[in-house]
Amino acid sequence: MSSRHHQRGRFSRPGGIYVLTTVTRGRLPVFETADRARIVIDCLRDIERARISHSFAWVVMPDHVHWLLQLRQGTLGACMQRFKSRSSRLIGQAAGSALRLWQPSYFEHALRSDESLLKQARYIAANPVRAGLVDQLGVYPFAWCRWPSDP
C-alpha cells in the first residue's frame, strides 16, 4: 500500500516525522463505539511496541484517524499496511464478520524543519473539540498527545 503522494515521487525515510490521516470506507462512523476505537488504539500502540514508529499524538475520530509519528524503520506504506490490516482483522473478528474497514491509501504530510512538532500534536489532539464531539481539550477518550493540553 502506498500513498498517492509516494506514487508521485515522494518517499518516506526512517527518522522522518509525519502526520498521517486515514479514513474509513465510505466515511462510515465505525469508531463511534468505544470497543472499536480501543482496538484501533491498541493497533497504534502495537506499531510503537514493534519499534516501527514513535508516536507524538493520535486521535481516533468516528470515521478517521490522525496520527503524528516519527518513522523508526521501514516505510510509511508498510507501517500503514500493518495498521490497517491488523485493525480491520481485529474489528472484523469482534463484529463476527470480515469487513473492508479502510479506504485505500492515506494522506501524509512530512513535517518540515520549520514546522512545530508541538503545534501539530496539539492540533491533532484538539480535533474532537473542533468537530463538536467534546467541549474541551483533554476529555475525549480516544485522543492522546505526548504533551499536556495546556498551551
Side-chain angles (χ1 to χ4, degrees):
M1 169 191 329
S2 65
S3 131
R4 289 179 294 136
H5 299 292
H6 292 160
Q7 293 172 357
R8 284 185 271 170
R10 291 182 69 182
F11 63 93
S12 59
R13 63 174 174 77
I17 297 175
Y18 303 91
V19 178
L20 304 177
T21 301
T22 189
V23 179
T24 60
R25 187 169 294 278
R27 301 278 322 218
L28 293 174
V30 176
F31 311 125
E32 283 183 324
T33 61
D35 59 332
R36 290 179 178 176
R38 283 189 202 102
I39 289 171
V40 169
I41 291 167
D42 287 344
C43 291
L44 293 169
R45 290 178 175 152
D46 171 69
I47 292 170
E48 182 136 356
R49 283 188 301 269
R51 302 191 52 77
I52 295 168
S53 72
H54 176 74
S55 296
F56 297 106
W58 43 255
V59 62
V60 180
M61 299 295 286
D63 64 353
H64 65 280
V65 173
H66 296 291
W67 185 15
L68 175 61
L69 63 93
Q70 180 176 37
L71 186 65
R72 289 182 165 179
Q73 61 177 299
T75 66
L76 287 178
C79 177
M80 287 302 285
Q81 193 278 332
R82 179 176 174 141
F83 168 72
K84 286 181 169 187
S85 175
R86 183 173 172 81
S87 58
S88 291
R89 184 174 39 83
L90 293 174
I91 288 172
Q93 286 174 352
S97 67
L99 63 122
R100 293 178 59 186
L101 180 61
W102 300 104
Q103 286 189 9
S105 197
Y106 57 93
F107 300 96
E108 54 89 13
H109 170 70
L111 263 63
R112 298 179 309 265
S113 60
D114 63 338
E115 290 182 273
S116 168
L117 182 62
L118 180 60
K119 182 179 176 182
Q120 286 290 327
R122 288 188 172 152
Y123 183 84
I124 288 171
N127 202 280
V129 176
R130 287 190 305 278
L133 297 175
V134 294
D135 54 2
Q136 64 180 341
L137 211 60
V139 298
Y140 187 68
F142 312 118
W144 174 83
C145 180
R146 188 163 296 283
W147 297 280
S149 58
D150 298 333

